[in-house]
């Protein structure tokens, strides 16, 4: 049974990595920078740092060894599961015939993909958002990167 990693535990582990002589990790990389880059990478966003895949692999190995996953993994696994199991997707589409999303400006690319899966083919999706209030751009949320369903 998987559990969600506690944010404090996540920060402790990333701080621990900062103190290790990892060949891929540049000096003076902060735990906060690693957390941001891991999330961006998992959400399919561009990362200029060539060492990020090695960081994500190290981090994911840590999570898997403890039976944990993080918030990004929850969304990614859900998207993958629904893509791979059309029967399961049909069950959830039937259950949620209408979908309302508030604060849409803060939806990540992966979260949007999940919404698209659930809302199709009827496209009964109502969104409310204000791009002047977006606070999750660091994680890839942008009202400008998505097309209408």
């Amino acid at each position: 049974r998987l559990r969600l990693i506690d944010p404090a535990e996540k920060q402790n582990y990333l701080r621990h990595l900062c103190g290790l002589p990892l060949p891929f990790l540049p000096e003076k990389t902060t735990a906060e920078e690693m957390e941001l880059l891991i999330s961006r990478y998992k959400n399919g966003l561009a990362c200029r740092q060539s060492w990020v895949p090695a960081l994500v692999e190290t981090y994911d190995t840590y999570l898997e060894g403890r039976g944990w996953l993080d918030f990004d993994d929850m969304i990614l696994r859900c998207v993958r599961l629904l893509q791979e199991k059309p029967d399961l997707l049909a069950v959830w589409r039937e259950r949620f015939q209408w979908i309302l999303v508030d604060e849409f400006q803060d939806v990540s690319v992966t979260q949007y993909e999940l919404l698209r899966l659930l809302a199709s083919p009827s496209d009964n999706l109502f969104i409310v958002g204000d791009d002047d209030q977006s606070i999750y751009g660091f994680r890839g949320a942008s009202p400008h990167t998505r097309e209408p369903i």
Side-chain angles (χ1 to χ4, degrees):
R1 178 176 163 177
L2 293 172
R3 293 182 307 136
L4 188 62
I5 187 172
D6 178 82
E9 177 62 37
K10 183 177 185 177
Q11 278 296 308
N12 287 340
Y13 177 68
L14 295 176
R15 282 191 202 103
H16 170 73
L17 287 182
C18 290
L20 297 178
L22 299 172
F24 60 83
L25 193 62
E27 280 188 50
K28 298 184 182 179
T29 303
T30 66
E32 292 77 15
E33 181 181 8
M34 285 190 279
E35 184 173 15
L36 171 66
L37 291 170
I38 288 168
S39 183
R40 289 184 59 83
Y41 183 85
K42 285 186 174 190
N43 280 286
L45 299 171
C47 292
R48 289 183 229 151
Q49 297 83 346
S50 61
W51 49 269
V52 172
L55 171 63
V56 172
E57 183 179 336
T58 300
Y59 172 70
D60 283 346
T61 299
Y62 174 77
L63 293 179
E64 289 169 17
R66 285 154 183 77
W68 293 344
L69 58 130
D70 65 14
F71 180 74
D72 295 313
D73 292 329
M74 281 192 337
I75 304 298
L76 289 166
R77 286 179 182 222
C78 188
V79 167
R80 254 186 253 127
L81 183 65
L82 294 176
Q83 288 171 335
E84 293 170 0
K85 300 195 178 279
D87 293 345
L88 182 61
L89 177 57
V91 168
W92 288 104
R93 282 178 175 166
E94 179 69 25
R95 178 136 188 215
F96 297 108
Q97 295 177 19
W98 299 91
I99 300 173
L100 165 67
V101 180
D102 192 13
E103 303 296 338
F104 186 74
Q105 73 276 0
D106 292 324
V107 170
S108 73
V109 174
T110 309
Q111 291 167 335
Y112 182 64
E113 179 60 27
L114 179 58
L115 288 169
R116 286 180 62 96
L117 280 168
L118 292 171
S120 294
S122 62
D123 296 335
N124 292 332
L125 179 64
F126 183 85
I127 61 169
V128 178
D130 180 352
D131 57 349
D132 289 332
Q133 294 184 18
S134 183
I135 61 171
Y136 291 108
F138 66 90
R139 164 183 102 196
S142 169
H144 306 293
T145 60
R146 295 178 290 277
E147 73 229 33
I149 291 180

